[in-house]
Amino acid sequence: MTEATIFALSSGRPPAAIAVLRISGPRATDALIGMAGGMVPPRKASLRQLRDRDGAVLDKAIVLFFPGPASATGEDSVEFHLHGGRAVIAAVERELGTLPGFRPAAAGEFTRRSFANGRLDLSEAEGLADLLEAETELQRRNAQSLADGVLSRLVAEWRETVLMLGAEVEAVLDFSDEEDGEELSPTFHVKRDALQADLEQWANAPRLEALREGFRVVIAGPPNIGKSSLFNAILREDAAIATPIAGTTRDVLFRPVAIEGIPFQFVDTAGIRDDTRDQVEKIGIERAKLALATADVVLWLGPEGEGPTDAWEIETKADVADRLVKEKPAVVVSASTGAGVDDLVRQLVTVARDRMPAPGSVAISNFQRSQICDALDALRDIPASDDMLVLAERLRLARLAFDRLTGTSDVEAMLDRLFSRFCIGK
């Protein structure tokens, strides 16, 4: 069955000055012939009138043709740069939908075809998805590195090294029955050790999930201790309801924010206590405890020493005489006057920056880390055996991990999750 030709709006939501409508697939040139009056020179902007099947003018547009395989998707591709009104876009999409073999694109389908046609690999596709979602400079810089193929090029080098080592093992196996059979070269384990060291360094790279989601700061403690007030003071807005009534916060509130270019996610939680009979509040307390388990930093506002291990002891209500006083608070704050809040934010920025990718380094996802660790596990077992068959198998397992990393082996379920992150026209 011939693959469909897909189309979708790839620019921003209308109305806009210009709308870019992308077309990709085996019959993409039918749109040029049927609607633009004929073919146009490849990779050269051409002004054409777009017409429907009855000859009525739909729009005057800039038309571009990108022959495959040297296109973004690896297929014949066409772009219509339209006037960005909703009615214009709808009319052109409606006409495209009448062409045989054409259908609207699914989310991420253009990028998935790029991947399927070898125009980018899995790491580059993941970087592109992150680039589209980037909201801070750190996120943009890391995503750009992945999209540009920094990790992909390294994986190609690692895979080539494993193939060379594997070829050496195969040569030894081929001549093992001869009296003067081959032996592993003196550099075999040197190369393996160098590869292992490289992989260990990347396995310890910063977490991409922390960069995507933000450095998670959870504010926790018993009821009526000032959690929501501190949450609002840090965000400088009334994001949470703050009252003197215990148990006001019933759920977990998440608020993403960028501070000095660092992505944060601040979390306000229900007051933790054991003596409530309110079923809704009990659910909120359970969710608060779950939030503590996922925090990068917990700001503990309750009695000193009763919070999670490594929590920051925060003394609140600095402007109140009968407040809960702590012996060794990390910061003393007042949400009412703002005292200490800037100091607390500065300390959080310092800690978060240390855990984010440094300039020139790259964060990797949990999936990427798991494949690198699989390759590491295979290579670590090599020195323990002189059995050439075992060595060959270990090198094969390492190669398969690299193949999963770039998407050249079966990772269909993961691909579905990845490409669903893209918008319709990407």
Side-chain angles (χ1 to χ4, degrees):
M1 183 176 179
T2 303
E3 190 169 32
T5 296
I6 57 174
F7 62 89
L9 183 70
S10 65
S11 54
R13 182 178 299 177
I18 297 173
V20 179
L21 202 150
R22 302 179 72 191
I23 305 164
S24 181
R27 307 191 71 169
T29 54
D30 290 359
L32 290 173
I33 296 169
M35 297 176 64
M39 294 295 293
V40 297
R43 296 179 180 79
K44 182 178 180 180
S46 303
L47 183 63
R48 292 287 188 273
Q49 282 190 335
L50 301 182
R51 297 177 181 270
D52 64 17
R53 63 178 58 192
D54 297 323
V57 175
L58 300 173
D59 193 24
K60 183 178 287 187
I62 298 295
V63 176
L64 290 160
F65 171 48
F66 304 94
S71 68
T73 60
E75 306 172 321
D76 283 351
S77 299
V78 170
E79 289 184 1
F80 291 158
H81 293 228
L82 312 168
H83 291 93
R86 291 188 178 90
V88 173
I89 296 167
V92 175
E93 288 182 330
R94 188 163 52 248
E95 184 63 21
L96 285 169
T98 68
L99 298 179
F102 280 63
R103 65 166 172 79
E109 191 167 5
F110 288 97
T111 307
R112 187 155 192 162
R113 291 191 178 195
S114 299
F115 171 78
N117 293 323
R119 300 298 293 173
L120 77 171
D121 69 15
L122 192 56
S123 295
E124 292 168 327
E126 192 162 6
L128 182 56
D130 289 333
L131 189 60
L132 295 174
E133 297 172 354
E135 295 183 356
T136 70
E137 178 61 17
L138 266 179
Q139 291 170 331
R140 182 202 66 79
R141 191 166 58 221
N142 191 80
Q144 190 69 64
S145 294
L146 288 175
D148 287 345
V150 169
L151 181 57
S152 301
R153 288 189 292 273
L154 272 173
V155 174
E157 293 175 7
W158 297 339
R159 190 178 188 278
E160 182 63 25
T161 298
V162 166
L163 286 173
M164 292 174 62
L165 295 175
E168 190 171 336
V169 172
E170 292 296 334
V172 173
L173 285 170
D174 288 343
F175 294 97
S176 59
D177 294 333
E178 299 183 10
E179 293 184 4
D180 56 346
E182 293 283 331
E183 293 184 357
L184 293 176
S185 70
T187 62
F188 179 90
H189 289 295
V190 173
K191 292 176 182 177
R192 187 213 63 85
D193 291 343
L195 176 58
Q196 179 178 325
D198 209 7
L199 292 175
E200 287 173 343
Q201 181 179 354
W202 275 86
N204 293 319
R207 292 189 306 113
L208 183 56
E209 284 70 22
L211 190 59
R212 285 176 181 163
E213 300 165 8
F215 187 80
R216 181 169 290 193
V217 180
V218 175
I219 304 173
N224 204 23
I225 198 69
K227 298 183 299 300
S228 295
S229 296
L230 179 59
F231 182 72
N232 291 339
I234 292 172
L235 298 175
R236 301 183 187 278
E237 59 176 287
D238 292 333
I241 299 173
T243 76
I245 302 172
T248 300
T249 301
R250 300 296 189 93
D251 205 348
V252 177
L253 301 180
F254 299 87
R255 183 56 60 91
V257 62
I259 304 176
E260 296 186 21
I262 306 294
F264 281 90
Q265 187 176 91
F266 287 95
V267 184
D268 184 24
T269 61
I272 298 175
R273 59 177 174 175
D274 299 323
D275 58 349
T276 181
R277 296 183 178 180
D278 188 318
Q279 292 301 314
V280 175
E281 187 180 359
K282 285 183 178 179
I283 294 172
I285 292 170
E286 288 304 313
R287 291 182 178 179
K289 292 177 179 178
L290 290 174
L292 294 178
T294 62
D296 292 301
V297 164
V298 174
L299 304 182
W300 179 252
L301 278 57
E304 195 163 7
E306 294 185 10
T309 304
D310 298 327
W312 292 19
E313 297 286 354
I314 307 297
E315 184 177 317
T316 58
K317 304 182 180 181
D319 56 317
V320 177
D322 61 347
R323 67 182 182 273
L324 176 65
V325 178
K326 299 191 177 187
E327 291 184 9
K328 297 179 179 180
V331 185
V332 179
V333 300
S334 168
S336 298
T337 67
V341 174
D342 287 345
D343 182 35
L344 173 60
V345 170
R346 279 193 295 271
Q347 291 189 41
L348 288 170
V349 168
T350 298
V351 172
R353 183 174 284 125
D354 287 342
R355 299 191 192 179
M356 294 293 177
S361 66
V362 176
I364 60 174
S365 69
N366 287 334
F367 172 77
Q368 291 165 338
R369 177 177 284 102
S370 70
Q371 304 314 310
I372 291 173
C373 288
D374 283 350
L376 260 176
D377 290 342
L379 294 174
R380 283 172 178 154
D381 284 341
I382 285 178
S385 175
D386 293 326
D387 188 324
M388 292 299 110
L389 290 175
V390 172
L391 294 183
E393 175 62 13
R394 291 299 176 184
L395 291 169
R396 187 187 70 85
L397 292 175
R399 178 180 56 78
L400 288 177
F402 296 145
D403 288 346
R404 290 192 298 271
L405 192 54
T406 55
T408 53
S409 64
D410 184 19
V411 286
E412 196 66 26
M414 191 277 303
L415 292 178
D416 289 340
R417 290 195 298 273
L418 168 61
F419 290 112
S420 68
R421 295 173 56 199
F422 287 86
C423 57
I424 294 296
K426 192 63 181 172

